[in-house]
Structures are given as structure tokens and as C-alpha cells.
């Protein structure tokens, strides 16, 4: 699409009073791919926009009307939006003009930050309330505040790690990532959380491997070298006419788990026998529970990675997980603002990741 932007005409009388909508960018809202700022899973993301969790999903077209007001137009033509995003990602022009019949609704505001504006109109702003709505207008959508930390920012950070996996993975050496049970640090494993999945993805049978799983994770966490704070671009929407930069800066860093050498360090991981952060234990246990009781669609998502591996994203109450099926995992927690907690490969993590991949939804 050119810098003059494409137009979606007559999307809604409320949206533009017959004016065209100048398209800036678009994103998918499907079980396998949706803006994670909206929720932990697809039904939650739809609920945030007051939409039914339609199996085929939606396309979200973000743009401005003739007065410069921000609008998010929801369309049923998912394939058309997907083609436009793919073209923009390849640097190609594409005039995204959904048919009026595919328009579901027009919502004021944008759920994501958009870094470009339509030419020849006023600067982006929220539309004025409709006087005929008598105060019943929905509140304008707005991106999350990047100065605070909460579920939306935590999910955005996990998404960015998935997008920049190589850069984050390079911060952890292979000895840490693939440490085996009974490694050099050898923390006794009586307090460990059993991930509970054998390497073939079946339910685990209690045994010595399960006993030491979190010991492996504790050892891996204890060996992570200190890292500088990193700025990331989170939850970037796909492409757009002006290559919209829809990310918002969120600071996240790799947390160094204490191995107990500093008696004065304040570290919640000390409260558990193996040194694994209690939030990591909780996240792994809840992720394991997904294998037995499948979560809502989109709670676990699998996407393409290099080689034969898959990139996994999973979310739960207060936590987000990102992992490659052939590698390690990272966990972000609501109670640890901006921190990234690595989870070593260990003996059972491979089985857990394989089992999660088997139940995950995938882009078609």
C-alpha cells in the first residue's frame, strides 16, 4: 500500500459519517493469532472488544476517518486481511479494502499503538461521542500503559521474546540450557515441582527423572550471567501502508536467580528448597494441567520456528511462557515486573513442550 493509504469506504455511519477510513495497519483476531494485549486467550480477546468468539476469527483494520479520528473496523474477511498483512510484511503494496458486507462493527480508538498517521487529515485522536447514543458509546480503545506492569505488558514481553528469540537465547549458554539432572550444582530435589510429562508427551510415571526436574531448572537459573536491562518493541502489529510501528517500549531483563551465595540478597526463590522461583513452579504446574484439561482456544499457541522446531506461547493467571520445542523456556510473571526467568532444558521440559505443542492451535 502506498503512503497515500488505502481507504475502506462506508465502514460505518458512526465511524465516519460516510467518509472513507484511511487504513494504517491491520491485525488478525483468530484462535491462533491475536493481539495478546487483549487477553490470555482468544475468547478473552474477543470479550475485550465485545465480540463473539467466532471460530473463523476476525480481521481488525486500524485507521483514521476524514477528521483524523481513530477507528478499529472489525471485519469477517479474515483471508483478505491475512493476505494484506503478508504482502506488507514482504514490503509489497496492497490496497486493503474489505467489502462493506464483511464489516461487523467499527470501534472507536485503537487497541495497539500505531506509529504512523494518515496524510492530509488531523492528527490521530479519539472520535467525539455520538450525541444520539445518549452516553451509551463504548469507551475508545487504547493501548496499554507501558510505564506500568501488568498482564498486558507481561504478555507483550513474552511475544517480543518469541519474535527476538535468537537475541534472548544468546544470553544463556548451552551448559546452563541443557544441564542434566545431578549436574555440578546438584541442589537436592525434594521440593521440586514435577512437570509431570514424559518425553513422549504421555502422563508421567513417578521416577527419579521427575524428582530432579526442578533441580535442573534451579541450576540453570542460578548460572545465568547478569544482563543489562533491554528495551523491546512489544506486540508489534503486522505491517501497514506506512509500515506502522505499533509496538510500545517495555523494559524487560533476564533475572539472575540466586544460588544462595549472597545471604543478604532478597530473592523470593529462597523460600523454596530447590531455589526455583515459586512463580515458575506455579506456571509449570498450571501449564502441565493444560495437558489434562485443555484450556480455552488460544491459551496455548504454536507457530513456525527454524528447522523442525515450533515456537510455543502459553499464558495463564499471572504468567506467560515462551519456548522452542527443541530448546529452553522463558517465563514472565505479574509479580516480577520486567523480569525474564529462564527455565533450563532438564529431563522433563522436552516432554511438556511436546505435549503443549500437540494441543496448541496453529495458524492455518
Amino acid at each position: 500500500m502506498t503512503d497515500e493509504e488505502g481507504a475502506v469506504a462506508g465502514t460505518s455511519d458512526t465511524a465516519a459519517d460516510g467518509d472513507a477510513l484511511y487504513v494504517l495497519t491491520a491485525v488478525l483476531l483468530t484462535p491462533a493469532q491475536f493481539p495478546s494485549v487483549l487477553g490470555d486467550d482468544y475468547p478473552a480477546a474477543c470479550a475485550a472488544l465485545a465480540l463473539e468468539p467466532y471460530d473463523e476469527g476476525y480481521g481488525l483494520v486500524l485507521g483514521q476517518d476524514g477528521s483524523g479520528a481513530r477507528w478499529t473496523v472489525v471485519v469477517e474477511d479474515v483471508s483478505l486481511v491475512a493476505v494484506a498483512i503478508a504482502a506488507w510484511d514482504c514490503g509489497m503494496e496492497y490496497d486493503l479494502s474489505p467489502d462493506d458486507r464483511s464489516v461487523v462493527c467499527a470501534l472507536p480508538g485503537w487497541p495497539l499503538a500505531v506509529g504512523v498517521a494518515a496524510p492530509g487529515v488531523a492528527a490521530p485522536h479519539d472520535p467525539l461521542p455520538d450525541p444520539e447514543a445518549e452516553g451509551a458509546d463504548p469507551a475508545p480503545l487504547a493501548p496499554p500503559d507501558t510505564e506500568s506492569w501488568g498482564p498486558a505488558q507481561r504478555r507483550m514481553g513474552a511475544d517480543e521474546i518469541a519474535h527476538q528469540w535468537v537475541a534472548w537465547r544468546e544470553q544463556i549458554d548451552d551448559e546452563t540450557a541443557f544441564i542434566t539432572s545431578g549436574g555440578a550444582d546438584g541442589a537436592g530435589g525434594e521440593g521440586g515441582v514435577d512437570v509431570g510429562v514424559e518425553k513422549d508427551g504421555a502422563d508421567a510415571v513417578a521416577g527419579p527423572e521427575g524428582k530432579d526436574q526442578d533441580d535442573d531448572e534451579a541450576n540453570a537459573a542460578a548460572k545465568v550471567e547478569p544482563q543489562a536491562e533491554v528495551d523491546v518493541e512489544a506486540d508489534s502489529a503486522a505491517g501497514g501502508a506506512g509500515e506502522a510501528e505499533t509496538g510500545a517500549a517495555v523494559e524487560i531483563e533476564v533475572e539472575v536467580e540466586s544460588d544462595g551465595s549472597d545471604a543478604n540478597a532478597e530473592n523470593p526463590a529462597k523460600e523454596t528448597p530447590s531455589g526455583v522461583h515459586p512463580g515458575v513452579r506455579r506456571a509449570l504446574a498450571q501449564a502441565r494441567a493444560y495437558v489434562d484439561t485443555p484450556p480455552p482456544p488460544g491459551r496455548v499457541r504454536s507457530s513456525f520456528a527454524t528447522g523442525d522446531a515450533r515456537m510455543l506461547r502459553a499464558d495463564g493467571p499471572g504468567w506467560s511462557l515462551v519456548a522452542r520445542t527443541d530448546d529452553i523456556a522463558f517465563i514472565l510473571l505479574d509479580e516480577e515486573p520486567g523480569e525474564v526467568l529462564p527455565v533450563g532444558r532438564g529431563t522433563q521440559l522436552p516432554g511438556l513442550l511436546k505435549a503443549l505443542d500437540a494441543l496448541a492451535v496453529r495458524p492455518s
Side-chain angles (χ1 to χ4, degrees):
M1 188 175 289
T2 65
D3 288 340
E4 286 76 26
E5 313 284 340
V8 181
T11 56
S12 167
D13 290 341
T14 301
D17 291 333
D19 288 343
L21 184 81
Y22 297 93
V23 175
L24 300 178
T25 190
V27 293
L28 295 179
L29 176 59
T30 67
Q33 190 173 352
F34 56 88
S36 65
V37 297
L38 298 177
D40 281 339
D41 49 55
Y42 175 63
C46 288
L49 302 180
L51 299 171
E52 291 295 324
Y54 179 48
D55 288 344
E56 297 301 320
Y58 305 89
L60 305 181
V61 181
L62 282 61
Q64 293 174 261
D65 66 16
S67 68
R70 306 181 188 97
W71 289 95
T72 297
V73 178
V74 182
V75 300
E76 292 180 337
D77 196 341
V78 176
S79 297
L80 179 66
V81 174
V83 169
I85 292 172
W88 295 336
D89 283 348
C90 294
M92 301 169 59
E93 295 182 0
Y94 192 92
D95 184 6
L96 176 56
S97 300
D99 189 283
D100 290 353
R101 292 170 294 181
S102 74
V103 174
V104 177
C105 63
L107 303 172
W110 297 330
L112 307 171
V114 178
V116 297
V121 300
H125 61 274
D126 289 336
L128 295 174
D130 181 6
E132 298 181 2
E134 298 181 350
D137 304 63
L141 302 173
D145 179 9
T146 58
E147 297 300 318
S148 61
W149 181 262
Q153 293 83 358
R154 178 245 304 161
R155 293 188 295 262
M156 289 164 61
D159 286 347
E160 185 59 24
I161 292 173
H163 295 155
Q164 303 291 335
W165 178 267
V166 173
W168 284 94
R169 181 61 179 83
E170 287 175 349
Q171 300 186 43
I172 300 176
D173 59 76
D174 285 344
E175 181 182 359
T176 295
F178 296 97
I179 189 168
T180 57
S181 180
D185 290 340
E190 295 299 324
V193 169
D194 188 354
V195 173
V197 178
E198 296 288 0
K199 290 184 179 181
D200 62 359
D203 289 346
V205 177
E209 293 85 355
K211 178 180 178 181
D212 292 336
Q213 169 63 20
D214 269 4
D215 300 341
D216 302 340
E217 295 158 0
N219 295 342
K223 289 188 175 183
V224 176
E225 295 298 325
Q227 299 293 335
E229 202 166 72
V230 180
D231 285 335
V232 300
E233 291 300 317
D235 214 321
S236 177
E243 296 185 358
E245 296 179 359
T246 61
V250 176
E251 291 186 348
I252 54 179
E253 61 180 355
V254 173
E255 179 178 276
V256 181
E257 293 271 12
S258 172
D259 61 2
S261 60
D262 184 355
N264 296 321
E266 294 184 2
N267 188 347
K270 284 183 172 182
E271 299 174 3
T272 58
S274 71
V276 177
H277 192 293
V280 171
R281 294 172 175 276
R282 183 181 72 251
L284 291 175
Q286 292 179 2
R288 169 63 185 87
Y290 290 166
V291 178
D292 295 327
T293 306
R299 185 69 66 91
V300 182
R301 306 182 295 282
S302 175
S303 59
F304 173 78
T306 56
D308 295 328
R310 303 289 299 182
M311 186 69 69
L312 289 180
R313 275 283 289 109
D315 294 296
W319 58 269
S320 292
L321 178 147
V322 56
R324 272 182 58 124
T325 53
D326 64 348
D327 205 346
I328 65 172
F330 294 100
I331 290 177
L332 289 79
L333 303 170
D334 282 353
E335 66 261 36
E336 294 291 348
E339 305 293 345
V340 179
L341 304 173
V343 178
R345 184 77 170 164
T347 55
Q348 289 191 335
L349 183 65
L352 174 61
L353 298 182
K354 181 178 180 180
L356 289 175
D357 184 55
L359 63 86
V361 291
R362 304 186 178 204
S364 57

